Amino acid sequence: MYYPYLRGRQYELLALRELLEKKLISAEVLQPIVEPIKETMIFKKTVNSYYDSEYPLYTVIDPQVGEFVLHAKDHPILDRKDVYNAVLMEETEENLAKLLPVLSEGRKVLPIYRKSDDLIKSGLIPAQVNLNLVNDGTRFKRFFSQKKQRVGILRDVFTKQRRNVDYAQHTDEFFSDDHLYYHDDGYSAFSDYSIIGESYINGGFAPVAVAIHIVYFDAENNLRIKHFVSDTNDDIYDPAGKFKEALEKLVAWARDIEDKNDSEALHEFQELLAKARYPGLGVVKKLSLMHHLEIMSKFLKNNGE
């Protein structure tokens, strides 16, 4: 089972909604986690569309970044009894204790442990935990194996560069093989931050280069990532022209891909080039994210996960 960890940025939420609406992901093998950063209509609609369709989506009820740092009792979707909750265990014991009235109402809970010290607080979480999500480490596995509890691995597998133009020096690189070996490593599930990465930056700026990040399965079914980077990178002007340069490289590569790497998002990229349309960088990130989640869902389902 794959639990992609996303923030509540607009393009990430729109990616999740479109994947659901177009039936491009399967709940049997993929259940997203969203850490909200702002209370927006898109966030509410995305969450409710998943719950209304009975497709599991975990929302972090003690977010640590952005403007959505709310106490659990004020969370706008917690009036729903069918909500799936994720809890960041790096919170203080006092705040976690305040979550108990909400979490003790028979709701499904997914604790997320990033540091070994967070295990001290694990006794605050009620019994209806199906899975514990942890950063890699033998202490985590040892702790939960003694309690006979299921454990999933959480990693940041995206190698983030300081500038988009720097990806031109690493156009094709290893991304992840957790989907192949997480069972062998003693885990029941795996999770990552997709092509976004764990680091959170509030706001953005006009980039000198445009980079499109596309993951793909190689011949051994390892996940690799290609970075298609613009060539005209002397200043911040003409983002549409830069996008066209990067997009031409992506479309040329996609002509010969195998079925396992094909996706609805790649077809949309091809259509953008055919129509000479620049949709904005948010849409570019949305399509790259959709592509990753679609081919991962398809791979896991086809391989009996």
Side-chain angles (χ1 to χ4, degrees):
M1 180 70 76
Y2 177 41
Y3 294 80
Y5 191 110
L6 307 173
R7 290 327 189 322
R9 297 180 181 90
Q10 176 173 301
Y11 65 83
E12 294 174 77
L13 296 171
L14 289 175
L16 289 178
R17 281 179 58 187
E18 288 190 32
L19 288 166
L20 180 68
E21 291 167 358
K22 296 178 179 179
K23 296 180 170 56
L24 297 175
I25 52 177
S26 169
E28 299 169 13
V29 294
L30 189 151
Q31 297 184 8
I33 303 167
V34 173
E35 181 179 359
I37 59 174
K38 185 184 293 185
E39 185 177 353
T40 63
M41 189 56 65
I42 292 176
F43 169 69
K44 291 181 179 179
K45 286 184 176 180
T46 301
V47 171
N48 286 327
S49 66
Y50 269 75
Y51 294 146
D52 291 342
S53 67
E54 299 183 349
Y55 193 119
L57 180 143
Y58 288 86
T59 56
V60 175
I61 62 174
D62 55 340
Q64 303 297 295
V65 297
E67 302 173 17
F68 205 157
V69 184
L70 299 178
H71 187 275
K73 65 182 178 61
D74 300 318
H75 202 299
I77 59 168
L78 284 184
D79 56 342
R80 298 193 61 140
K81 299 299 183 184
D82 53 352
V83 70
Y84 285 66
N85 302 288
V87 181
L88 298 175
M89 295 304 292
E90 61 191 31
E91 267 279 30
T92 65
E93 288 193 24
E94 293 85 311
N95 285 343
L96 284 171
K98 292 175 183 177
L99 297 176
L100 286 181
V102 174
L103 298 177
S104 61
E105 298 175 0
R107 302 174 192 270
K108 298 178 178 65
V109 183
L110 175 65
I112 300 173
Y113 300 86
R114 290 182 172 135
K115 303 187 300 294
S116 294
D117 285 345
D118 297 334
L119 294 174
I120 299 171
K121 311 179 185 78
S122 63
L124 295 172
I125 295 299
Q128 62 268 27
V129 172
N130 184 48
L131 178 74
N132 297 278
L133 206 56
V134 304
N135 277 351
D136 195 15
T138 55
R139 182 167 185 251
F140 284 122
K141 284 198 293 186
R142 188 184 308 122
F143 180 87
F144 289 112
S145 63
Q146 291 172 350
K147 295 176 175 290
K148 296 181 169 44
Q149 293 181 358
R150 297 172 71 241
V151 187
I153 178 69
L154 170 62
R155 293 191 218 266
D156 184 1
V157 295
F158 181 67
T159 303
K160 203 172 190 69
Q161 300 295 334
R162 189 171 64 87
R163 306 171 303 166
N164 279 349
V165 70
D166 296 333
Y167 291 108
Q169 306 301 317
H170 311 275
T171 57
D172 190 319
E173 57 187 343
F174 178 81
F175 189 71
S176 176
D177 58 6
D178 283 339
H179 56 288
L180 298 176
Y181 301 113
Y182 71 98
H183 281 308
D184 294 342
D185 293 339
Y187 295 105
S188 303
F190 67 101
S191 175
D192 58 44
Y193 300 88
S194 187
I195 52 95
I196 309 301
E198 180 181 7
S199 62
Y200 172 77
I201 299 175
N202 188 17
F205 53 88
V208 170
V210 168
I212 307 174
H213 311 291
I214 298 294
V215 299
Y216 70 97
F217 293 104
D218 66 14
E220 288 75 38
N221 289 326
N222 299 296
L223 265 185
R224 297 187 63 82
I225 186 166
K226 282 188 171 289
H227 308 289
F228 301 97
V229 184
S230 57
D231 298 311
T232 310
N233 303 321
D234 297 325
D235 52 47
I236 64 172
Y237 301 107
D238 192 19
K242 298 174 190 291
F243 170 67
K244 183 174 182 290
E245 292 173 347
L247 184 60
E248 287 175 339
K249 298 176 184 180
L250 164 58
V251 171
W253 169 80
R255 291 193 186 105
D256 300 318
I257 60 171
E258 299 179 65
D259 288 343
K260 64 183 178 180
N261 290 315
D262 197 14
S263 71
E264 179 72 20
L266 284 185
H267 297 165
E268 291 192 39
F269 274 124
Q270 292 164 339
E271 186 174 344
L272 287 172
L273 181 62
K275 294 182 176 179
R277 189 165 71 86
Y278 172 56
L281 295 180
V283 173
V284 174
K285 292 178 180 178
K286 180 196 76 170
L287 292 176
S288 296
L289 177 59
M290 288 178 63
H291 168 76
H292 175 208
L293 299 188
E294 180 184 345
I295 67 169
M296 179 62 81
S297 179
K298 183 167 56 177
F299 175 86
L300 293 173
K301 192 170 184 180
N302 290 343
N303 287 274
E305 291 294 328

